[in-house]
Amino acid sequence: MKTKYRYTPLFESGELRHAGFRPENIAALVEEGVIERVKHGYYRLSYAADLEEEQLIALLYPDGVICRYSALFHFGYSDWTPSAWDIAVDRNTSKARFNIEYPPISPFYMTKEHLAYGVMQDDFNGIMLNVLIGIDSYAR
């Protein structure tokens, strides 16, 4: 589906309504298996059911920063695979954004000022995500 500025298999219900779909049309598309509900207000095309976790995180949380155990694991400082993605976001972010079954997310709320320090983009299996670099900034 073409959204505001990009083609993506993930889109919001508002984008569907803007394209002329009524709620009953959206429900019928879900019932027919054309689209799948990811979380409240978010859908994806059924053929995109095999999206990687990194792709979903990039689409759902572009303002998020991978942090804590997820960042340690990414940079090779831990061999323990985190059970959820640790993502830092602005403390004014709605908690409803994280009511999602997959991928598992553990949000950490911070001030905008704290989110601005020690953040870089890095490659997560071919997807560029914001990550807290912390101690790794000295190793690169």
Side-chain angles (χ1 to χ4, degrees), residues 76-113:
Y77 291 113
S78 173
D79 59 356
W80 174 74
T81 304
S83 59
W85 286 84
D86 295 325
I87 300 179
V89 292
D90 183 283
R91 69 178 178 190
N92 295 319
T93 300
S94 169
K95 291 173 180 36
R97 283 184 68 192
F98 302 99
N99 292 339
I100 184 170
E101 291 181 22
Y102 180 84
I105 303 293
S106 181
F108 291 87
Y109 301 93
M110 306 174 116
T111 64
K112 282 185 182 180
E113 295 78 27

Side-chain angles (χ1 to χ4, degrees), residues 8-117:
T8 177
L10 186 72
F11 42 89
E12 296 178 43
S13 57
E15 293 171 309
L16 287 170
R17 287 193 306 274
H18 183 72
F21 290 92
R22 296 190 320 251
E24 55 270 17
N25 301 129
I26 297 170
L29 290 172
V30 171
E31 182 69 28
E32 293 169 11
V34 176
I35 62 174
E36 296 175 356
R37 183 175 178 212
V38 175
K39 64 176 252 168
H40 180 73
Y42 285 87
Y43 297 88
R44 67 178 167 200
L45 296 172
S46 294
Y47 75 81
D50 59 345
L51 283 176
E52 298 294 328
E53 289 184 2
E54 294 87 354
Q55 291 172 302
L56 285 171
I57 288 169
L59 292 167
L60 290 171
Y61 310 108
D63 56 330
V65 178
I66 305 301
C67 65
R68 297 179 34 109
Y69 298 117
S70 297
L72 288 172
F73 180 76
H74 173 70
F75 287 122
Y77 291 113
S78 173
D79 59 356
W80 174 74
T81 304
S83 59
W85 286 84
D86 295 325
I87 300 179
V89 292
D90 183 283
R91 69 178 178 190
N92 295 319
T93 300
S94 169
K95 291 173 180 36
R97 283 184 68 192
F98 302 99
N99 292 339
I100 184 170
E101 291 181 22
Y102 180 84
I105 303 293
S106 181
F108 291 87
Y109 301 93
M110 306 174 116
T111 64
K112 282 185 182 180
E113 295 78 27
H114 286 106
L115 281 172
Y117 296 110

